[in-house]
Amino acid sequence: MDVLEVPFVKHVGVEKDSELKLNVRDKLKNHIQTIHASAQFTLAETASGACLMEEFPQYEGKVIPMLRSSTVKYKSPATSTLRAKATLTKEAKEKFLKQFERRGQGVIAVEVELFDEASLVTMEGEFVWFVARK
């Protein structure tokens, strides 16, 4: 599945060139004219899911991934186009594969940073996914 085809992701306006991004628009602003926290969360959560799809293409269409939990920290006001960088540690990947091979399900954490046009980090977070065989 293309993460950009998720209806809510489309609604928020997440796009992709070399990476997932969110252009600043009036409909995404909050009361202080910065990009709303929920729009930033949507970009970051979408990036975490896309990261899993890139790392585990062999499971596409064979699993049900569900976001289990997340912890985010907003670090600075977002006033320009945001880009997402999602990373998965080697250790997290190995642990997940062992769980998944043994039990047909597993938990995996993806780290995400959002940064603006000046490369300033606006949000960082950990997105924990529960993944089970269909």
Side-chain angles (χ1 to χ4, degrees), residues 3-17:
V3 295
L4 298 179
E5 293 303 314
V6 174
F8 188 74
V9 173
K10 279 183 168 182
H11 174 74
V12 172
V14 175
E15 300 174 2
K16 183 174 184 175
D17 49 27

Side-chain angles (χ1 to χ4, degrees), residues 56-108:
F56 304 105
Q58 69 273 28
Y59 297 134
E60 187 170 347
K62 300 175 183 175
V63 297
I64 299 172
M66 294 177 287
L67 185 65
R68 175 171 274 179
S69 65
S70 62
T71 305
V72 299
K73 182 175 184 179
Y74 297 93
K75 301 191 59 103
S76 57
T79 59
S80 65
T81 296
L82 297 177
R83 296 189 175 277
K85 179 182 178 189
T87 56
L88 185 59
T89 66
K90 180 181 176 184
E91 295 80 15
K93 187 174 179 177
E94 289 172 356
K95 182 179 176 184
F96 168 75
L97 286 171
K98 284 180 184 175
Q99 288 176 349
F100 192 78
E101 290 170 9
R102 190 178 69 234
R103 299 176 26 211
Q105 63 186 33
V107 176
I108 188 165

Side-chain angles (χ1 to χ4, degrees), residues 12-79:
V12 172
V14 175
E15 300 174 2
K16 183 174 184 175
D17 49 27
S18 60
E19 55 205 346
L20 291 177
K21 68 178 185 175
L22 186 62
N23 293 313
V24 63
R25 294 186 305 286
D26 284 343
K27 75 177 188 174
L28 299 179
K29 291 182 180 179
N30 59 22
H31 63 291
I32 58 171
Q33 300 305 303
T34 63
I35 299 176
H36 198 284
S38 64
Q40 291 185 64
F41 184 92
T42 300
L43 174 61
E45 188 266 350
T46 302
S48 72
C51 176
L52 292 179
M53 292 174 69
E54 290 172 13
E55 289 288 333
F56 304 105
Q58 69 273 28
Y59 297 134
E60 187 170 347
K62 300 175 183 175
V63 297
I64 299 172
M66 294 177 287
L67 185 65
R68 175 171 274 179
S69 65
S70 62
T71 305
V72 299
K73 182 175 184 179
Y74 297 93
K75 301 191 59 103
S76 57
T79 59

